[in-house]
Amino acid sequence: MSSYDYDLFVIGGGSGGVRAARVAASLGKKVAIAEEYRFGGTCVIRGCVPKKLFVYASQFHEHFEDAAGFGWEVGESRFDWKKLVAAKDQEITRLEGLYRKGLTNAGAEQIDSRAELVDAHTVLIKATGKTVTAERIIVAVGGAPTTHVALPGHEHCISSNEAFHLEELPEAILIEGGGYIAVEFANIFHGLGVKTTLIYRGREILSRFDQDMRRGLHAAMQAKGIDILCEDVILSVEKKAEGELIAKTKQGKTLEVGQVMLAIGRSPNTRGLGLEQAGVAVNERGAIIVDPYSRTNVPSIFALGDVTDRVQLTPVAIHEAMCFIETEYKNNPTSPDHDLIATAVFSQPEIGTVGMSEEQAAKAFEELEVYRAEFRPMKATLSGRAERMIMKLIVNAADRKVVGAHILGHDAGEMAQLLGITLKAGCTKDDFDRTMAVHPTAAEELVTMYSPSYRVKNGERV
Ligand code: NDP
């Protein structure tokens, strides 16, 4: 019998924390999990899930337009933001209930309170002021939108957190950032009828993606009517008496908008968590430093998910939680595999990607074969929509392994999931060539690009 109150105490009820708590409890461990806001974490409550619901909502006006080409006459349409927010909230509440139910069924105690570390085995429950002890503690408190205190008028700006609960849709919005969140929300707001401007400090949006994806998406977004200002940043935001915001940019532009949204990254949520007291080391960004088994420098304290700032993605946090369970409770040391993570940007069109960009691969390998197809998707032939789909396979010429796969277009995220398996399995281009096409699909292009579009030798396109 352990001398602690719990075998495992988890701080943070997001994707990673809930998974670790639920599975540990189902293995018979005495587990408690504390959450200060809502169970489900960023992904379920104010991230991936509500975002995807908003993406669907924002696509309907294009569906209505496209319908005409297929013989449909669609009557007058009207969008009700409040109805969407209410429907989304209802779904999120349902999902939160499922998270709670899973924990209850497994026998994990849920504590609706902030919890902070006191020492290597002790946690303070803020709501009651009580302390409890645990043999092992997991910190899985996630991240929060990076604030921009140096920006005059930053207090007038919103982050993705508030974007999910705006009282009303603004007529115009300015979004700062060129990453996942900025790009996805620019498309959402535009699709819902908001005049949208994206401002990004670099030369091209989505800095860590393949150039073709970046350029292709930029062009598609601009063609829809989204204004993209590159190599520019917001210098100040001022609020007028009537509530409108005036944003001034470095390049000398002045924009009058209803909302300014900052999407300049997410930072680990570690402030005031008692890490220092417990002796847990953090890096310069405040992220908890962990070893390959998610263990901090304090042997009884573990950290997983966004708070460790390894890869800020829900499936990664869940995977890290499962590795913790294998290592600590199943006597099977397993470290998370962060290689070849397939991911999607739910922009419109979507990006689905796995593996290296052409630029990364050109640095890693002596010679590449690049297979690239750009075409008009079938649906666009009758809808008349001017849209292009881009597919790209990056192949290491030496062993024919596909080291990167990138798609811009409808359902790219769905395709990236399956491509992830092939790259993880180490498939070569010959494996792709031997695979029969599914016809008629867009994805068939992935197995019918027979000869390289070009080669890259020693970093140079030939
Ligand atoms: P990202 O890291 O993707 O992008 C941050 C953006 O902000 C970059 O374009 C960056 O520019 C820019 N930036 C950073 N600091 C400043 C600054 N001081 N001034 C102006 N611009 C700045 O972060 P997000 O906030 O978009 O998303 C956070 C994380 O959440 C992502 O990394 C992702 O892992 C996850 N996420 C995943 C989604 C998905 O899977 N579909 C959806 C949403 C989020 P630069 O490129 O020059 O550094």
Side-chain angles (χ1 to χ4, degrees):
M1 180 64 194
S2 151
S3 56
Y4 300 103
D5 298 324
Y6 298 99
D7 295 316
L8 176 66
F9 194 100
V10 180
I11 306 179
S15 305
V18 167
R19 177 59 69 95
R22 180 167 63 74
V23 179
S26 72
L27 293 173
K29 303 293 169 194
K30 189 167 184 224
V31 179
I33 176 167
E35 167 57 51
E36 64 178 332
Y37 183 50
R38 294 180 68 183
F39 279 87
T42 300
C43 170
V44 174
I45 306 298
R46 47 191 178 188
C48 323
V49 175
K51 180 274 307 287
K52 189 86 187 272
L53 295 173
F54 279 11
V55 169
Y56 286 129
S58 66
Q59 288 171 336
F60 279 94
H61 84 110
E62 285 196 357
H63 295 332
F64 298 148
E65 282 171 18
D66 291 353
F70 294 87
W72 286 89
E73 217 173 88
V74 180
E76 212 180 296
S77 62
R78 207 176 63 81
F79 171 66
D80 187 331
W81 167 252
K82 285 196 161 70
K83 257 192 186 166
L84 171 66
V85 173
K88 177 266 296 176
D89 284 343
Q90 201 178 351
E91 173 59 8
I92 298 313
T93 301
R94 186 184 75 84
L95 291 174
E96 185 186 6
L98 288 180
Y99 267 68
R100 284 184 176 276
K101 198 168 154 197
L103 287 165
T104 305
N105 290 348
E109 183 186 335
Q110 293 149 62
I111 300 173
D112 290 284
S113 167
R114 179 175 172 80
E116 293 170 4
L117 290 169
V118 176
D119 62 36
H121 291 282
T122 312
V123 172
L124 168 68
I125 312 293
K126 291 292 277 187
T128 58
K130 286 207 173 106
T131 54
V132 294
T133 59
E135 186 182 14
R136 290 179 178 81
I137 298 169
I138 290 181
V139 181
V141 295
T146 304
T147 49
H148 195 347
V149 283
L151 173 70
H154 65 91
E155 66 279 11
H156 305 309
C157 304
I158 59 166
S159 70
S160 55
N161 285 351
E162 292 77 32
F164 288 113
H165 283 111
L166 292 177
E167 276 296 308
E168 51 194 52
L169 270 185
E171 261 177 48
I173 192 165
L174 172 63
I175 303 178
E176 173 138 53
Y180 285 86
I181 296 179
V183 164
E184 291 180 342
F185 270 94
N187 282 280
I188 290 170
F189 282 117
H190 170 77
L192 296 177
V194 179
K195 183 176 169 357
T196 304
T197 306
L198 185 73
I199 183 165
Y200 172 53
R201 65 181 178 182
R203 288 177 73 156
E204 187 55 283
I205 56 172
L206 292 172
S207 55
R208 288 176 288 280
F209 287 74
D210 185 274
Q211 272 292 351
D212 266 306
M213 303 293 111
R214 301 168 67 188
R215 285 198 212 107
L217 179 63
H218 184 139
M221 285 170 65
Q222 211 143 28
K224 281 175 198 277
I226 299 171
D227 235 344
I228 302 180
L229 312 173
C230 285
E231 299 186 289
D232 203 357
V233 290
I234 304 174
L235 281 189
S236 66
V237 179
E238 226 177 280
K239 194 169 196 160
K240 296 203 324 190
E242 317 84 79
E244 285 291 287
L245 301 175
I246 305 290
K248 296 214 161 102
T249 82
K250 199 173 176 183
Q251 299 272 15
K253 293 207 167 57
T254 301
L255 288 98
E256 182 164 340
V257 293
Q259 295 286 356
V260 175
M261 175 173 160
L262 302 179
I264 56 170
R266 292 177 59 85
S267 309
N269 232 342
T270 45
R271 198 168 313 154
L273 204 60
L275 293 169
E276 217 170 288
Q277 247 190 110
V280 177
V282 296
N283 70 14
E284 65 293 344
R285 277 179 39 84
I288 298 179
I289 300 168
V290 288
D291 73 5
Y293 298 95
S294 299
R295 184 181 278 117
T296 70
N297 59 316
V298 178
S300 57
I301 302 180
F302 298 75
L304 46 91
D306 287 4
V307 76
T308 63
D309 205 14
R310 285 176 279 186
V311 184
Q312 297 180 355
L313 294 170
T314 298
V316 174
I318 292 172
H319 175 67
E320 289 166 359
M322 294 309 285
C323 290
F324 165 84
I325 296 285
E326 285 295 318
T327 305
E328 296 301 316
Y329 294 136
K330 293 192 173 175
N331 199 22
N332 175 28
T334 308
S335 59
D337 176 1
H338 293 116
D339 192 29
L340 288 172
I341 298 169
T343 165
V345 184
F346 293 99
S347 44
Q348 300 168 40
E350 252 170 58
I351 291 177
T353 178
V354 56
M356 293 183 190
S357 64
E358 182 184 326
E359 298 72 37
Q360 289 168 330
K363 286 188 189 131
F365 304 109
E366 200 178 316
E367 186 174 345
L368 303 177
E369 292 174 3
V370 179
Y371 296 80
R372 184 188 187 283
E374 181 169 345
F375 55 96
R376 191 179 194 195
M378 196 176 187
K379 192 176 166 201
T381 56
L382 293 201
S383 70
R385 187 166 293 286
E387 63 179 83
R388 311 289 291 167
M389 195 146 188
I390 302 176
M391 294 195 173
K392 205 169 163 186
L393 294 178
I394 317 290
V395 176
N396 176 12
D399 59 7
R400 307 272 297 145
K401 262 197 189 160
V402 180
V403 294
H406 312 281
I407 302 168
L408 175 76
H410 285 290
D411 299 324
E414 304 288 340
M415 289 183 238
Q417 179 65 83
L418 303 179
L419 283 169
I421 303 171
T422 64
L423 265 71
K424 208 74 191 153
C427 286
T428 63
K429 181 63 173 60
D430 306 313
D431 296 317
F432 277 63
D433 292 343
R434 286 190 293 110
T435 303
M436 202 68 82
V438 179
H439 184 70
T441 62
E444 68 183 301
E445 209 66 37
L446 291 167
V447 295
T448 52
M449 294 190 280
Y450 295 119
S451 42
S453 309
Y454 54 91
R455 287 169 191 275
V456 176
K457 268 190 191 162
N458 302 317
E460 298 289 329
R461 187 167 161 163
V462 289

